[in-house]
Amino acid sequence: MGVKAIYPGTFDPITNGHIDILFRSLRIFDHIVVGIGPNPKKAALFSLEERISMIQESVKGISHVSVETFDGLLVDFAKRHNAKAIIRGLRAMSDFEYEFQMALMNRKLDNNIETVFLMPSEEYSYLTSSIVKVVGSFGGDVSSLIPKHVHYMLKEKFNKNRG
Ligand code: ADP
C-alpha cells in the first residue's frame, strides 16, 4: 500500500496553490488523502459536496489521490487511515505561527504522525481561497489562480447570490 499522507484543509474552494502542494506531496508519498475538515473559524461559501466535487474534478485521472471529509480531530482521521504524515503548505511568514502551533499540538495528540511543510511555486505564494473569493465577488479576474471548472462554479455562485 505504501506510505500515506493526509492533506487537510477547508478547500473553499481548491486553488492552483493547493494543487501545486498536492503534486509536490505525490513526489514523496505513495498515496494522498485530501481531507476536507471542519473549520469553526470560517463560514464556507461552497457546500461540502461542492468542495468534494471540485477537488475530484481537479485530480481526475491522477492516481493515488482520494478525497474525503472528516469531523473531529485531524490526528484521529490520520490514524484511521494509517497515515504517516500530515501535509501543510507554507506560503509567507504569516502562515508560520499558526502552523507551528497546530503541528506541535497535533504531535502532542499523536507522536506517530509527522507534519510535513511544503512550499508552493512563488506564483502561488500569496494565493488564498479567501482572496480568490473576495476578488471574484467583485468581478475581478482570478482565472489564472484556480482550475477552469472552479472558476465556473465561482461565477455561478456569485451570479446566484446577486440574484
Ligand atoms: P485551512 O483553513 O486548514 O488553512 P485551506 O484550505 O485554506 O485550509 O488550506 C489548506 C492547506 O493548504 C494549508 O496548509 C494551507 O497553508 C495550504 N495552502 C493554501 N493555499 C496555498 C498556496 N497558495 N500555496 C501553498 N499552500 C497553500
Side-chain angles (χ1 to χ4, degrees):
M1 178 78 227
V3 182
K4 225 185 211 187
I6 308 286
Y7 182 29
T10 315
F11 304 102
D12 186 41
I14 188 166
T15 69
N16 290 346
H18 290 125
I19 294 167
D20 177 293
I21 295 295
L22 190 59
F23 277 115
R24 288 177 201 281
S25 336
L26 282 168
R27 293 193 198 149
I28 307 172
F29 296 98
D30 300 302
H31 188 100
I32 307 291
V33 181
V34 179
I36 310 178
N39 192 334
K41 285 198 206 136
K42 302 182 197 165
L45 176 67
F46 292 99
S47 70
L48 275 178
E49 291 70 28
E50 288 172 324
R51 283 181 272 160
I52 294 173
S53 87
M54 284 187 283
I55 299 172
Q56 276 171 341
E57 180 70 23
S58 308
V59 299
K60 208 165 62 185
I62 299 160
S63 35
H64 310 296
V65 178
S66 51
V67 186
E68 284 181 35
T69 60
F70 69 97
D71 266 323
L73 289 176
L74 171 58
V75 288
D76 291 339
F77 179 64
K79 213 180 302 179
R80 282 202 295 283
H81 274 288
N82 219 357
K84 287 268 178 292
I86 292 167
I87 308 286
R88 294 290 288 177
L90 268 191
R91 288 161 292 196
M93 276 303 285
S94 49
D95 279 342
F96 182 78
E97 200 157 328
Y98 173 72
E99 294 295 342
F100 182 76
Q101 190 180 35
M102 287 301 294
L104 292 186
M105 178 50 90
N106 283 330
R107 179 183 286 167
K108 196 173 179 63
L109 294 170
D110 190 333
N111 198 21
N112 295 313
I113 302 169
E114 288 298 338
T115 301
V116 175
F117 294 101
L118 296 173
M119 270 160 283
S121 165
E122 309 85 87
E123 63 192 298
Y124 303 132
S125 60
Y126 66 95
L127 178 58
T128 64
S129 298
S130 305
I131 202 163
V132 163
K133 285 182 283 191
V134 172
V135 174
S137 73
F138 292 119
D141 183 6
V142 287
S143 57
S144 60
L145 305 174
I146 48 181
K148 234 190 185 110
H149 61 281
V150 175
H151 192 219
Y152 177 81
M153 292 279 286
L154 195 70
K155 282 197 290 194
E156 284 272 284
K157 185 71 78 180
F158 289 127
N159 286 339
K160 212 177 286 164
N161 286 356
R162 271 188 208 115

